[in-house]
Amino acid sequence: MFDSGFGGLTVARALIDLLPAEHLVYIGDTGRYPYGPRPLSEVREFARQITRHLIDNHDVKLVIVACNTASAAALDDLQHEFDVPIIGVIEPGVRSLVSATRNGHVGVIGTVGTIASGAYQAAVAAADPGVKLTCAACPGFVEFVERGETDSDQVHVLAERLLAPLIDADIDTLLLGCTHYPFLARTISDVMGPDVVLVSSADETAFSVRRLLTGSELARTEPARGRGEGAVHRWYSSGDVSWFRELGRRLLGPELDHAESLVWP
Ligand code: DGL
């Protein structure tokens, strides 16, 4: 799986918890983050390069695009281009979103690239045309997470400004349509208030992976089935790997002690 940085760790956590027997290779493309403000065509090229790298160098059986911006930019192309199954985070997130709403009015927040791509607007309309959707881009949120600043006064002030249109729109459910945002859940929830349910795509994406693996007999089996002994997790960063280890340990856990450096040619 891959993301521009630390965000995909929210999906990795859900995946390891649900499928402890699976080997995992995680690439945080921190040397080129943030993806959100970049043209979608550039993000598509990054996604293609990383997917090729995972298949050629790690022999992966499935790729999870654990980044909404890259899913919006590249999922269809990757699915056509590569032979292994490729799963994104947008459809699973939308499934959780439309099933969680009670008043039929929902919100999605994401990067500028994700929201401008129209991917969520199309996915929500396809999942349930009766649901009313309000979207907002939240430039700056990803940078706060990458700096490890998840509940400072500054991020709170920014959240109050960026989330105001969603409060005005009277939504009852908000999808965190960027895999970095669950790390800001406390701040976002404080600003949105107790009546708005926050939904992330991490768990639902892990469920999609499990369905796909078991449905196609690709799931890894081991003697102590399901307990995770023998599963190898490898973590790579294309940027500052010591920071990746340090913040990664805080966000995901001690597994990130072993993060390795990845240098693009
Ligand atoms: N975590 C990525 C996402 O879900 C975005 C981060 C970025 O802007 O790099 O969209």
Side-chain angles (χ1 to χ4, degrees):
M1 68 165 65
F2 68 92
D3 177 52
S4 64
F6 294 93
L9 296 178
T10 56
V11 184
R13 178 77 279 153
L15 195 89
I16 293 169
D17 291 346
L18 191 68
L19 297 168
E22 296 296 335
H23 299 310
L24 171 67
V25 181
Y26 182 96
I27 294 180
D29 197 9
T30 48
R32 303 188 292 203
Y33 109 94
Y35 282 3
R38 293 181 186 270
L40 291 179
S41 55
E42 187 177 26
V43 175
R44 193 173 306 127
E45 281 318 305
F46 293 165
R48 196 175 267 144
Q49 178 192 25
I50 298 170
T51 303
R52 167 66 56 216
H53 172 86
L54 285 168
I55 294 170
D56 289 354
N57 298 297
H58 296 279
D59 196 25
V60 299
K61 61 184 174 187
L62 175 143
V63 174
I64 303 163
V65 183
C67 170
N68 291 262
T69 314
S71 296
L75 187 65
D76 290 348
D77 288 31
L78 298 178
Q79 287 172 334
H80 277 108
E81 191 172 330
F82 296 99
D83 289 336
V84 304
I86 305 203
I87 290 190
V89 284
I90 292 180
E91 257 185 46
V94 165
R95 258 201 308 277
S96 300
L97 178 66
V98 299
S99 66
T101 183
R102 293 142 290 150
N103 74 1
H105 195 171
V106 302
V108 174
I109 51 175
T111 66
V112 169
T114 299
I115 300 303
S117 76
Y120 270 108
Q121 294 83 336
V124 169
D128 186 343
V131 163
K132 189 166 169 227
L133 171 67
T134 303
C135 289
C138 295
F141 274 10
V142 167
E143 287 82 345
F144 273 105
V145 173
E146 292 280 324
R147 286 203 298 271
E149 213 182 308
T150 51
D151 59 3
S152 63
D153 289 347
Q154 285 84 346
V155 74
H156 205 280
V157 167
L158 180 65
E160 281 179 342
R161 180 162 63 75
L162 295 173
L163 300 175
L166 294 150
I167 294 171
D168 294 345
D170 200 27
I171 60 167
D172 73 349
T173 312
L174 177 63
L175 175 62
L176 309 180
C178 169
T179 52
H180 281 72
Y181 295 177
F183 294 125
L184 301 175
R186 193 184 321 166
T187 297
I188 294 171
S189 181
D190 277 354
V191 172
M192 293 306 298
D195 296 334
V196 175
V197 174
L198 302 189
V199 175
S200 97
S201 50
D203 288 332
E204 196 59 35
T205 301
F207 287 129
S208 299
V209 172
R210 183 171 67 177
R211 265 195 304 279
L212 199 146
L213 291 181
T214 48
S216 60
E217 297 180 348
L218 279 174
R220 176 168 179 263
T221 51
E222 57 180 359
R225 196 181 148 77
R227 296 222 307 276
E229 287 107 10
V232 177
H233 302 150
R234 299 191 70 176
W235 312 93
Y236 290 93
S237 158
S238 65
D240 179 347
V241 73
S242 54
W243 176 240
F244 193 70
R245 285 190 198 113
E246 187 184 327
L247 181 59
R249 267 199 313 261
R250 261 162 58 197
L251 298 177
L252 183 123
E255 294 97 322
L256 266 284
D257 266 346
H258 307 293
E260 298 163 71
S261 171
L262 172 66
V263 180
W264 295 120

